Amino acid sequence: MPNWHRSTAIAYAAVLLGVFGHASSEFVAVLTALPGPEAAVWRFGLGGLGLVVLALCFPASRDLLTPLRRDGRRLSAIAFLGVTLPYIAFHWSLDFATVPQVATLITGIPIFVALLAATVDRERVSRARMATGALAMAGVAALLTDGYLAELAGARHNLFGVLLVTVSAAGAAAYVVAIRPLALAYGALRVTAITMALGGIGAWLAVGAFWGRWVDPAAIAVLPRASVAAILAMALFNTTITQFVWIGGLAALPDMTRGAYLFFLKPVIAAALAVAFLGTSLSALQIAAAVFICSTVLVEIAWPRLTRFARGRASGRSRPQAPPPR
C-alpha cells in the first residue's frame, strides 16, 4: 500500500476521491428505492464486508485481531456512535427531508470537524478559517436552494428530517476526529474496516430491534435489478472505497481540519452529476456559487503558502534598500 504520509498531495487526492464518493451517495440511496434505515443496513453490511476483504488483500493490514484486543471497546464505541447511529440517521433523513436539504446540511461536516478538533485536540481555529468556512457554507446554501435536485426530492420539507441529518453530520465529524489516533497507530485501512464492519452489524441489530426489519442477505436475490445495482454501488463505491480514501487521506494530512474543507466541494460535484445524469441545467446563480465555493476551498487549502508569500513580501519591503551605484 502507498504511504500517504509521505506525500501531502496524495493525501489530498485521496480525500478528494472520498468527497466524490460522498457526493453521489444521496443519488444512489434514492435509487435503491428502499426505506432509509434498511438502506443503511445494506450499505454498511456489504460495505463493511468489502473493507474487511480489502484489508485482507494487504499484508500490513491483515491482522484485524490485534486492534480489537488492544482497543476493542474504543473501536466498538466509535463504530456505534460514529457509524451506526449517524448513517441510520442520514438514510432515514431521506425519508423525510428533500435531497437538497440533506446535501446542504451534511456539508456542514467540516464545521463540526473544526469545532471538535479544537475541543479534543486543542487545535486552534483561526479567524481566517472561520471566515472561509462561513463563506463556503453561504455558497453551498446559494447553490442548493435553487432546486437543481428537485427531480429527486420525494418528500416535503420536514423538521424531523433536518434534525436527523444534523445529527448525522455531527456524528460523522466525531468519527473522523476520534478515529485519527487509531488510524495513525494501526493504519487507516485496518481501523476503517473494523469500525465499518462493526457499524454494519450495529445497524442490522438497531434496525431489527427498533423497526422490526431484520434484513435477510438472501433477499437481495428477489429485489429488482435496479435496486440491487444501486445497493452494490452504494456499498462498494460509496462505502468501501469512499470511506477508506476519505479516512485514510484525512489521517495522513498534517492538518486534518484543512483537509476536511474539501468536503465543501460535495454539492459542486453533486451539481455536476445532476447535469451529467439528470440532464439538468444550472442557473447563473448556481454556476457563480460553484465557482465561489471552489475558490473558497482553494484559499483555505493554499492558506499556509499565501501567508508565507505575504510575509516574504512584507519583510522584503521593510528591509532597507541599498543605495544605487554611482
Side-chain angles (χ1 to χ4, degrees):
M1 288 184 64
N3 189 345
W4 294 346
H5 295 271
R6 295 178 181 176
S7 174
T8 301
I10 293 176
Y12 271 121
V15 174
L16 187 59
L17 179 59
V19 172
F20 184 86
H22 281 295
S24 58
S25 60
E26 288 96 347
F27 285 86
V28 182
V30 170
L31 294 175
T32 64
L34 294 174
E38 186 176 345
V41 176
W42 284 109
R43 177 179 181 179
F44 287 95
L46 295 176
L49 178 62
L51 278 162
V52 170
V53 172
L54 185 62
L56 294 176
C57 291
F58 299 96
S61 58
R62 285 176 185 166
D63 182 9
L64 300 177
L65 296 179
T66 297
L68 285 171
R69 282 198 299 264
R70 295 177 179 173
D71 293 288
R73 291 184 180 180
R74 187 176 176 186
L75 286 166
S76 298
I78 291 173
F80 182 71
L81 298 174
V83 179
T84 299
L85 293 184
Y87 285 98
I88 286 179
F90 172 79
H91 285 280
W92 196 18
S93 71
L94 289 167
D95 292 346
F96 299 95
T98 64
V99 171
Q101 277 184 309
V102 174
T104 304
L105 292 171
I106 203 68
T107 311
I109 284 179
I111 302 298
F112 286 109
V113 169
L115 294 175
L116 289 170
T119 303
V120 176
D121 299 331
R122 298 292 188 265
E123 193 175 286
R124 182 174 171 270
V125 182
S126 65
R127 292 181 180 178
R129 178 162 293 175
M130 288 189 290
T132 54
L135 290 172
M137 283 300 294
V140 168
L143 177 64
L144 289 173
T145 52
D146 205 15
Y148 72 86
L149 288 177
E151 295 179 36
L152 290 180
R156 294 182 179 180
H157 290 226
N158 188 287
L159 183 60
F160 184 60
V162 170
L163 176 62
L164 285 173
V165 73
T166 304
V167 169
S168 176
Y175 174 87
V176 169
V177 175
I179 207 67
R180 191 186 188 198
L182 293 171
L184 294 175
Y186 298 113
L189 181 53
R190 273 203 288 182
V191 296
T192 305
I194 291 170
T195 51
M196 293 296 159
L198 291 176
I201 295 171
W204 183 78
L205 292 172
V207 171
F210 290 99
W211 281 272
R213 301 180 70 93
W214 296 97
V215 177
D216 182 5
I220 198 168
V222 298
L223 290 174
R225 289 185 178 180
S227 294
V228 172
I231 287 172
L232 293 177
M234 184 172 62
L236 299 179
F237 177 65
N238 298 114
T239 307
T240 298
I241 296 174
T242 293
Q243 294 293 345
F244 169 51
V245 296
W246 166 250
I247 300 302
L250 286 178
L253 286 172
D255 189 336
M256 178 180 61
T257 304
R258 176 164 284 119
Y261 269 55
L262 284 173
F263 202 80
F264 284 124
L265 297 178
K266 179 180 186 294
V268 178
I269 297 171
L273 291 173
V275 172
F277 296 104
L278 299 179
T280 307
S281 59
L282 298 180
S283 67
L285 173 62
Q286 290 166 331
I287 294 173
V291 173
F292 182 75
I293 293 168
C294 293
S295 301
T296 304
V297 172
L298 182 62
V299 167
E300 174 59 33
I301 299 301
W303 188 254
R305 293 185 179 181
L306 293 175
T307 52
R308 286 196 298 268
F309 177 74
R311 288 172 185 170
R313 293 199 63 179
S315 62
R317 284 196 300 267
S318 60
R319 193 176 299 139
Q321 299 292 324
R326 295 181 179 179

